[in-house]
């Protein structure tokens, strides 16, 4: 199983692109899964959409791989991790502001959906997958894990604020859509579907012990990869099932790569300001350039935003874009690739 899990990890980007190709050809099952609500099916109150269940599973599996004792290194450099967390959201939000000033939009313009999609992705925490790329490049895992865990814990407060501020700058974007997104990214929904699965994963690790969790690594990796591929198939079905134009795809690709590359740029700035060594620099490059797009899709679906094709197209495009940027960074360093932990497949 370990050998198979390693092969899946190596070819994950190709599997992801294959899933999007399947979504374009056969979008029906994916779209149905994206709209499926467990609570509605069982006749229970509340909402439990399939995307949210899948995201909660990813967060639970990722948290099981986190050794909190490794985060003690962050205490020694408080200014660095504070600056890093600021950059997690500062760079992408600035990119959205620049895009909003360049693209003249109206409420009926497709650019409004594209910019709202950029806003959602920019407001997300660091993707779990950044840890896998950091490990593959021999980067600093404590700093990589720190960016993931701390950004997720801060998201219930930071994300709604950023959505409101960004919404004020997106002239022409429909205010009710922004308000829907803000409600879904705060309060009880976020606690239930993000913080609780994360806390549960940490608790299970403490209960079972590090050795048992390590023995489960191949199985956890395969399960988290399968969940992530299903999640992206559902998102891709909504975005690609409507057959987006070439211009829409190109615009979404440019925006997605811009969101990722601005993180690489900010990591270079932090490297100069704090004189970071190479492992720490690599952790920040991957962390600041990768957003939790799975979480963006899950909460967007709950907010009723999944029917916005341009918004979904941006989220879908951002996933492979940031993995391509990460692969480029890894290739640039020309490092050997050790086996990655299951956190390599989260968002």
């Amino acid at each position: 199983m370990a050998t198979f899990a390693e092969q899946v990890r190596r070819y994950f980007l190709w599997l992801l692109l294959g899933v999007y190709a399947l979504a374009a050809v056969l979008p029906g099952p994916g779209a149905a899964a994206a709209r499926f609500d467990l609570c509605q099916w069982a006749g229970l109150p509340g909402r439990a959409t399939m995307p949210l269940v899948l995201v909660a599973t990813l967060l639970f599996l990722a948290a099981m791989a986190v050794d909190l004792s490794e985060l003690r290194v962050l205490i020694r450099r408080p200014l660095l991790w504070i600056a890093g967390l600021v950059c997690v959201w500062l760079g992408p939000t600035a990119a959205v502001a620049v895009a909003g000033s360049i693209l003249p939009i109206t409420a009926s313009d497709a650019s409004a959906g594209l910019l709202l999609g950029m806003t959602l992705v920019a407001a997300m925490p660091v993707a779990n997958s950044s840890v896998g790329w950091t490990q593959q490049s021999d980067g600093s895992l404590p700093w990589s894990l720190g960016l993931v865990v701390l950004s997720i814990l801060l998201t219930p407060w930071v994300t709604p604020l950023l959505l409101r501020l960004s919404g004020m700058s997106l002239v022409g974007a429909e205010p009710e859509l922004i308000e829907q997104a803000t409600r879904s990214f705060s309060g009880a929904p976020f606690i239930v579907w993000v913080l609780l699965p994360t806390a549960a994963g940490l608790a299970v690790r403490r209960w079972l012990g590090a050795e048992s969790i390590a023995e489960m690594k191949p199985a956890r990796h395969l399960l988290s990869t399968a969940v992530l591929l299903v999640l992206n198939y559902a998102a891709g079905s909504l975005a690609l099932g409507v057959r987006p134009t070439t211009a829409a795809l190109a615009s979404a690709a440019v925006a997605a790569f811009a969101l990722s590359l601005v993180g690489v740029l900010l990591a270079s700035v932090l490297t100069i300001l704090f004189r970071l060594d190479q492992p720490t620099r690599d952790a920040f490059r991957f962390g600041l350039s990768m957003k939790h797009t799975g979480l963006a899709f899950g909460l967007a679906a709950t907010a009723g935003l999944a029917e916005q094709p341009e918004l979904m197209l941006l989220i879908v495009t951002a996933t492979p874009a940031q993995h391509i940027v990460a692969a480029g960074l890894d290739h640039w360093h020309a490092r050997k690739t050790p086996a990655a932990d299951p956190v390599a497949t989260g968002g």
Side-chain angles (χ1 to χ4, degrees):
M1 180 181 290
T3 302
F4 179 59
E6 172 64 13
Q7 291 300 314
V8 170
R9 183 191 66 81
R10 286 179 178 273
Y11 294 101
F12 173 73
L13 181 58
W14 293 106
L15 291 172
L16 187 63
L17 296 176
V19 160
Y20 288 145
L22 179 63
V25 175
L26 187 65
R35 299 186 179 101
F36 182 71
D37 191 315
L38 287 174
C39 285
Q40 187 179 29
W41 174 75
L44 299 173
R47 298 198 68 182
T49 61
M50 187 60 69
L52 274 182
V53 173
L54 294 175
V55 169
T57 304
L58 281 176
L59 292 170
F60 173 77
L61 292 171
M64 287 176 64
V66 176
D67 184 356
L68 292 179
S69 64
E70 294 183 353
L71 304 186
R72 293 173 183 170
V73 67
L74 277 65
I75 301 176
R76 305 190 195 110
R77 305 188 70 178
L79 291 180
L80 177 56
W81 66 257
I82 291 174
L85 287 173
V86 169
C87 290
V88 165
W89 289 287
L90 176 63
T93 301
V96 173
V98 171
S101 64
I102 294 175
L103 295 176
I105 61 175
T106 65
S108 61
D109 195 342
S111 298
L114 182 66
L115 287 171
L116 185 54
M118 287 185 70
T119 301
L120 293 182
V121 172
M124 290 297 97
V126 176
N128 304 329
S129 49
S130 64
V131 180
W133 283 108
T134 299
Q135 181 173 352
Q136 182 162 298
S137 292
D138 292 338
S140 172
L141 286 179
W143 281 105
S144 182
L145 287 168
L147 287 174
V148 171
V149 174
L150 293 177
S151 64
I152 287 176
L153 294 177
L154 287 174
T155 296
W157 296 274
V158 175
T159 295
L161 175 62
L162 288 180
L163 289 176
R164 289 191 178 94
L165 292 177
S166 298
M168 292 170 59
S169 65
L170 298 183
V171 179
E174 298 190 35
E176 60 270 21
L177 295 182
I178 296 170
E179 184 58 32
Q180 288 177 37
T182 302
R183 287 197 300 268
S184 294
F185 284 85
S186 60
F190 198 96
I191 293 174
V192 170
W193 294 107
V194 178
L195 296 187
L196 286 184
T198 301
L202 295 173
V204 168
R205 179 184 178 86
R206 184 176 180 84
W207 176 45
L208 294 179
E211 291 186 6
S212 297
I213 295 297
E215 293 175 358
M216 298 165 57
K217 181 169 69 173
R220 287 186 295 122
H221 175 68
L222 290 174
L223 179 57
S224 58
T225 299
V227 170
L228 186 61
L229 291 176
V230 171
L231 185 65
N232 278 279
Y233 172 57
S237 297
L238 293 176
L240 303 176
V242 296
R243 298 293 188 272
T245 64
T246 303
L249 278 172
S251 299
V254 170
F257 276 104
L259 287 173
S260 186
L261 291 173
V262 73
V264 177
L265 176 61
L266 284 178
S268 299
V269 173
L270 291 180
T271 298
I272 296 173
L273 292 178
F274 290 92
R275 299 180 180 179
L276 303 182
D277 56 26
Q278 188 164 309
T280 306
R281 179 199 64 187
D282 290 343
F284 276 92
R285 281 184 173 177
F286 291 117
L288 298 185
S289 64
M290 305 192 76
K291 289 289 189 174
H292 206 306
T293 53
L295 179 57
F297 169 54
L299 293 176
T302 300
L305 302 178
E307 304 302 327
Q308 303 290 321
E310 292 81 12
L311 182 153
M312 291 306 304
L313 184 60
L314 190 284
I315 294 177
V316 166
T317 308
T319 304
Q322 60 192 20
H323 280 282
I324 290 172
V325 170
L329 290 172
D330 182 61
H331 179 72
W332 179 266
H333 298 315
R335 301 290 181 83
K336 294 181 179 180
T337 58
D341 209 282
V343 290
T345 55

